[in-house]
Amino acid sequence: MRPEQDAPQRVLDSIRRDIILGRLPPGARVTEVALASRYGVSRIPVREALRALEAEGFVDSRPYAGSTVAAIPLDDAEDLFGVRRVIEATIARRAALRAAAHVAGDAPDTSWWTARRALTDILDDGDRAVASDALGDLPELNIRFHLGVAELSGSASLSALLRQISGKIEWLYAADVDHRGKQSWGEHRLVMAAIDAGNAGEAERLMEDHVASSQRGYLERFAAGPVPGPGAGPAAGITGTDAAGRG
Amino acid sequence: MRPEQDAPQRVLDSIRRDIILGRLPPGARVTEVALASRYGVSRIPVREALRALEAEGFVDSRPYAGSTVAAIPLDDAEDLFGVRRVIEATIARRAALRAAAHVAGDAPDTSWWTARRALTDILDDGDRAVASDALGDLPELNIRFHLGVAELSGSASLSALLRQISGKIEWLYAADVDHRGKQSWGEHRLVMAAIDAGNAGEAERLMEDHVASSQRGYLERFAAGPVPGPGAGPAAGITGTDAAGRG
DNA sequence: CGGATGGAGATTGAATACAATCGCCGCTAC
DNA sequence: GTAGCGGCGATTGTATTCAATCTCCATCCG
C-alpha cells in the first residue's frame, strides 16, 4: 500500500466532519483500530489525527483509556460568536489593506492572486447554488468563503484562530444547515467589494455586521430549546471493525 | 524502556518552549530523529508533537520535506493583542458569573475549587517573586495566572483559544521577559477580587484594561526596531544527533 | 444480597523495521 | 562556464510488533 503522503490530514478532516455532522455523537467512543480500518490506514495516522482533534477540542482523551467525542459547547455559543466577530472583522480589515497594497503594485505576491481567484470561484458557485435552490451546498461554501478571506488577509495566526472557531460554530449548527440561506450568502459580495476597493474600515464593519447577523439567526433558532441534535446518548459509537458512522 | 504515558505532551511542551525562548530560531530545521534522541524517545511521540505544533502555527511542514520553525508573527502583534483582549475579558466575565453561582451554592463542582486554589498559590508565588525581586519568575507565573482564570471560567473552547494566542504573544516577547514587571503583576489581584466578588462587569473591564496595558508596554518597546530577537539567520538548527538547542 | 477482587480480553503507548520521496553533489553536454 | 540530469545519502511516511494499562465481568467474601 503506497503512502498517501497526507493520509493523516485526510483522516483528520474526515473524523472532524463526522463529529460536526453528528455521525459521531458526543460521548461516542472512537477507537484507533476502528478508525484505522474504516479509512484503510494503520493506527499511526489515526493517532496523529486524534491528537489534533484533542487539541481542537473535539475529543477527550485519557492515557490508556482511549478517546471519546467531546460535548457540544452549547454554553459557549454566544461567546464564540463574539470572539468570531472580532477575528473576522480584523481579517476583513487586513484583507482590504493587503488588496490596496496589491493594486498599488507593491508586494508582488503570486499566492495572493491565487487566493483572490479562489474567492471568485466560491462566490460564483454560491450564486449558482442560490439560483438553483441547491441551498444544501451553501454551508460548505460559506465556510470556504470565510477561510478564503482569512487566506487573503495574509495572517497565518488569524487564519488558524478562525479555523478553530469556525469548526466549533459549525458544530453548533450541526446538521441544522441553511441557517439564513440566501440572504446571508448575498452579504458576502458586499464584503468582497469593500475588500477589493481597499476600503479597510468598510470591510471591517460589513464583516462584523454579517457575523452578528449570523449570530442573531442562531440565537433566534436555538434560544428556546437548544439543539435537539444527534447527541442523544453517550453510546452508539463505532466500536466494531466497520461500523463508523454509517447511520 | 517503559511507556512514559504522556511522553508526547512532555516533548510538545519542551519543543514549544525551545521555540518561544529562541533556542530554536525561525527557519531552523527540526528533524524527527534529532528531537527523538534529544528527548530520549522514539520518533512516534515526536511526530505527534510536531503535528500539534504545526496546528498551533509554530512550525511549517511539507510532506517528505520535514519541518522548520515558522517565522515570528511580528505583523500580527497588534491584532493578536486585540483578539486576546476580547477573549480574556469574556473569560473574566464568565469566571465571575461562575464564582457567583458557587457562593450561591449551586453547581457543586469540586474541580472549580481545585482551580480556585491553584490561583491562590499562583498569586502568592508571584507576590513572593516581586518581593524578592525575582522578576525572572513572573512571565511563567503570568501565563499560569491567565490560563488559571480561563480554567475557572469553565469554558474549554475559550481556554483553548487563549492558550493558542498566549503562545504567540509569548513568542513575540521572546526572551524579552519582565515587560512591565511589578506593576503588571499587581493588577492580577484586582481582577481576582472582582471575580471572587462575582462582579462580572467589573472583572471584564479590569481584565481588558490589564491586557490593553500589556499591549501598550509591548508596542512602546518594539515600535521602532521590532525584535532584534534570536532569529538571526535561517540556519544553525539542530541536525546532528545531539545538538538540539544547546546554544 | 451487595460490594470488593481477581483475571481475561481489549486497547493504547511506544519501538523497531521497511518503503517512498526529497535534496544535494558531481557529471555531462552544449 | 553554465545549465540540465542522474545517482546517492538523508529524512519522512507508514506498517508491524510487543509491552503496559485499562475496562469489564464473573467470582468470592462479608
Side-chain angles (χ1 to χ4, degrees):
Chain A
M1 192 175 296
R2 81 181 198 287
E4 285 273 347
Q5 109 158 0
D6 59 347
Q9 190 60 48
R10 193 172 53 80
V11 171
L12 169 60
D13 291 339
S14 299
I15 301 176
R16 182 171 35 212
R17 223 177 107 83
D18 285 344
I19 292 177
I20 287 176
L21 296 184
R23 291 198 284 253
L24 286 175
R29 286 202 51 155
V30 282
T31 66
E32 297 178 359
V33 287
L35 295 170
S37 98
R38 168 156 174 70
Y39 297 111
V41 296
S42 100
R43 281 175 49 211
I44 302 290
V46 173
R47 283 180 62 82
E48 298 178 10
L50 280 178
R51 207 157 260 279
L53 285 170
E54 186 184 5
E56 292 179 26
F58 284 107
V59 306
D60 295 326
S61 296
R62 278 191 348 225
Y64 292 106
S67 305
T68 58
V69 177
I72 298 181
L74 294 176
D75 295 342
D76 296 347
E78 199 158 348
D79 292 332
L80 285 174
F81 270 108
V83 175
R84 183 186 160 204
R85 269 212 314 272
V86 174
I87 292 179
E88 293 248 30
T90 306
I91 282 174
R93 174 169 52 76
R94 291 193 49 172
L97 290 173
R98 196 131 169 271
H102 267 269
V103 300
D106 310 339
D109 193 343
T110 82
S111 74
W112 186 88
W113 289 106
T114 307
R116 182 60 190 81
R117 239 190 319 269
L119 278 171
T120 298
D121 293 343
I122 291 170
L123 285 170
D124 290 347
D125 288 350
D127 287 353
R128 271 192 293 274
V130 169
S132 63
D133 258 8
L135 299 185
D137 296 342
L138 284 185
E140 167 77 14
L141 288 167
N142 183 54
I143 300 280
R144 284 174 53 201
F145 172 80
H146 285 269
L147 292 179
V149 176
E151 191 77 19
L152 212 61
S153 79
S155 167
S157 306
L158 295 177
S159 290
L161 288 172
L162 176 59
R163 193 174 301 269
Q164 189 165 339
I165 289 197
S166 288
K168 294 290 175 57
I169 288 182
E170 207 184 345
W171 201 12
L172 289 169
Y173 278 116
D176 272 272
V177 287
D178 83 315
H179 42 297
R180 289 189 308 133
K182 296 185 179 180
Q183 182 197 342
S184 175
W185 179 262
E187 295 168 5
H188 288 163
R189 287 222 179 257
L190 297 177
V191 175
M192 195 72 244
I195 291 174
D196 283 338
N199 192 335
E202 182 76 355
E204 182 172 10
R205 192 183 63 76
L206 283 173
M207 183 64 100
E208 179 154 5
D209 287 350
H210 171 61
V211 173
S213 162
S214 168
Q215 175 181 10
R216 275 195 302 276
Y218 173 86
L219 291 179
E220 283 170 12
R221 168 184 296 243
F222 295 120
V227 176
I238 70 179
T239 309
T241 157
D242 74 336
R246 261 275 139 277
Chain B
M1 190 176 297
R2 81 181 197 286
E4 285 272 347
Q5 111 159 359
D6 60 345
Q9 190 60 46
R10 194 173 51 82
V11 171
L12 169 61
D13 291 339
S14 299
I15 301 176
R16 181 170 38 213
R17 223 177 107 83
D18 285 344
I19 292 178
I20 287 176
L21 296 183
R23 291 198 282 254
L24 286 175
R29 285 203 50 157
V30 281
T31 67
E32 298 177 0
V33 287
L35 294 170
S37 98
R38 168 156 175 71
Y39 296 110
V41 296
S42 98
R43 281 174 50 211
I44 302 289
V46 173
R47 282 182 62 81
E48 298 178 11
L50 281 178
R51 207 157 262 277
L53 286 170
E54 186 183 5
E56 292 179 24
F58 284 108
V59 306
D60 295 325
S61 295
R62 279 193 346 228
Y64 292 107
S67 306
T68 58
V69 177
I72 297 179
L74 294 175
D75 295 343
D76 297 345
E78 200 158 346
D79 293 332
L80 284 174
F81 270 107
V83 176
R84 183 187 159 204
R85 269 212 314 271
V86 174
I87 292 179
E88 294 249 27
T90 304
I91 282 173
R93 174 168 52 76
R94 291 193 50 170
L97 290 173
R98 196 131 169 271
H102 266 269
V103 299
D106 312 338
D109 192 345
T110 80
S111 75
W112 186 87
W113 290 106
T114 308
R116 181 60 189 83
R117 239 191 318 270
L119 278 171
T120 298
D121 292 343
I122 291 169
L123 285 170
D124 289 347
D125 287 352
D127 286 353
R128 270 193 294 274
V130 169
S132 62
D133 258 9
L135 299 185
D137 297 342
L138 283 186
E140 167 78 12
L141 288 167
N142 182 55
I143 300 281
R144 284 175 52 201
F145 171 80
H146 286 269
L147 292 179
V149 176
E151 191 76 18
L152 212 62
S153 79
S155 166
S157 306
L158 295 176
S159 290
L161 287 171
L162 176 59
R163 194 175 298 271
Q164 188 164 340
I165 289 197
S166 287
K168 293 291 175 55
I169 289 181
E170 206 184 346
W171 200 12
L172 288 169
Y173 278 116
D176 272 273
V177 286
D178 83 316
H179 42 297
R180 289 187 310 133
K182 296 184 181 182
Q183 183 197 340
S184 174
W185 179 260
E187 294 168 4
H188 288 164
R189 287 222 178 257
L190 297 177
V191 175
M192 195 72 244
I195 290 174
D196 284 337
N199 192 336
E202 183 76 356
E204 183 172 9
R205 192 184 63 75
L206 284 173
M207 184 63 101
E208 179 152 7
D209 287 350
H210 170 61
V211 173
S213 163
S214 170
Q215 175 181 10
R216 275 195 301 277
Y218 173 85
L219 291 178
E220 282 170 11
R221 170 185 293 243
F222 295 121
V227 175
I238 69 177
T239 308
T241 159
D242 77 335
R246 262 276 138 275

